[in-house]
Amino acid sequence: MNADPADQRKLLDLADLDARILRDQHLSANPPQAPRVRELLAQRATLSQELSARANARDDITAEIARLESDVAVVDARIARDTQRLAAATNPKQAQGFESELTSLNRRKGDLEDMEIALMERLEAADAAIAEQETVIAETNALGAELSAEAKTVVADATTRLEGARRDRDAVAASVPAALLALYERLASRGNGAGLLRAGACEACRMVIPPSDIATIRRAQTDDVVFCPECGAILVRTEESR
């Protein structure tokens, strides 16, 4: 195939625009913050489960404290009743029975209050554990929100660049002869479409071309369409190719 050298040079612009389009397509679909955001979402789910477990543990302690308070109230009522009966007792044996029961009741009340104090300490620790977990979740949410905002900015910028690159590509492609454009598109669909020949290397695949092939390429006419022997891309020759 033959093509005007100026038209061949346009293929370098197409290749550059195609590379930019591919980069921004990937970036718009996969912003660099996305993996970390997904990690934070999974982490938040785990943290939330732990928060629920800690809240349930605190609720169990609160329920146990309420039960103890109810038991203490029952004991207090019995102490008040036996105290009244003791004050009214006239039978020494009966009075001794009330005194013995009051001793047992006061011991029982002391035990219940000790248990309640221990539970209150556990409740305090449980509240602290919940507050700690809520702080970690809040920090995780804040970081996730920050990264999500950054990702949206990256996607928006990439989308803007993508739209501009596509418009530029359409303009360049419209100025390339149909046969040459079709050849480029076919090659680009399989890999490299075109690359500049510079310093004995193809800039499409970054491979150094063997001297024998370079000699053949240099013997070709300026309007001959030549190809990289390594990657098959159209080798565009300019003054830099000498």
Side-chain angles (χ1 to χ4, degrees), residues 64-78 105 108-109 112-113 115-116:
E64 184 65 15
I65 289 174
R67 187 187 66 78
L68 286 175
E69 289 175 344
S70 177
D71 289 348
V72 169
V74 171
V75 171
D76 281 338
R78 292 181 61 184
L105 288 171
R108 172 61 177 162
K109 180 179 179 180
L112 292 172
E113 289 175 340
M115 292 170 62
E116 188 175 358

Side-chain angles (χ1 to χ4, degrees), residues 29-162:
N30 304 279
Q33 297 85 358
R36 181 57 178 150
V37 170
R38 287 192 291 270
E39 289 177 4
L40 289 172
L41 288 173
Q43 181 179 339
R44 185 176 66 182
T46 301
L47 291 171
S48 296
Q49 289 177 350
E50 176 61 21
L51 177 62
S52 296
R54 295 185 183 189
N56 289 337
R58 180 191 59 186
D59 292 345
D60 289 343
I61 294 172
T62 301
E64 184 65 15
I65 289 174
R67 187 187 66 78
L68 286 175
E69 289 175 344
S70 177
D71 289 348
V72 169
V74 171
V75 171
D76 281 338
R78 292 181 61 184
I79 288 175
R81 182 200 62 189
D82 286 355
T83 299
Q84 290 178 349
R85 288 179 175 179
L86 176 62
T90 56
N91 185 320
K93 188 174 182 180
Q94 189 179 42
Q96 185 178 7
F98 288 140
E99 288 175 351
S100 177
E101 185 172 351
L102 282 169
T103 299
S104 297
L105 288 171
N106 281 308
R107 187 182 303 111
R108 172 61 177 162
K109 180 179 179 180
D111 291 341
L112 292 172
E113 289 175 340
D114 288 343
M115 292 170 62
E116 188 175 358
I117 290 172
L119 284 173
M120 292 298 292
E121 291 175 352
R122 286 176 56 194
L123 180 61
E124 183 178 352
D127 285 335
I130 288 173
E132 177 186 41
Q133 194 73 356
E134 288 174 340
T135 297
V136 173
I137 290 175
E139 291 172 350
T140 302
N141 288 339
L143 180 56
E146 179 182 347
L147 290 175
S148 294
E150 290 177 4
K152 288 180 181 178
T153 299
V154 168
V155 170
D157 291 345
T159 301
T160 299
R161 291 194 303 269
L162 192 57

Side-chain angles (χ1 to χ4, degrees), residues 5-16:
D7 289 330
Q8 293 189 47
R9 290 188 183 94
K10 293 175 183 177
L11 299 182
L12 296 177
D13 294 331
L14 275 182
D16 177 64

Side-chain angles (χ1 to χ4, degrees), residues 159-176:
T159 301
T160 299
R161 291 194 303 269
L162 192 57
E163 292 171 352
R166 283 172 172 161
R167 286 194 300 269
D168 292 344
R169 189 193 192 283
D170 288 342
V172 173
S175 69
V176 177

Side-chain angles (χ1 to χ4, degrees), residues 177-230:
L180 181 61
L181 179 62
L183 175 60
Y184 168 83
E185 298 282 15
R186 185 169 69 252
L187 294 173
S189 68
R190 298 198 300 259
N192 296 321
L196 175 65
L197 173 63
R198 176 158 48 191
C202 169
E203 292 203 341
C205 62
R206 305 295 179 183
M207 296 293 292
V208 175
I209 298 173
S212 59
D213 290 317
I214 287 292
T216 301
I217 291 168
R218 284 176 177 166
R219 287 194 298 269
Q221 297 299 311
T222 57
D223 64 345
D224 285 341
V225 175
V226 297
F227 303 91
C228 172
E230 301 296 334

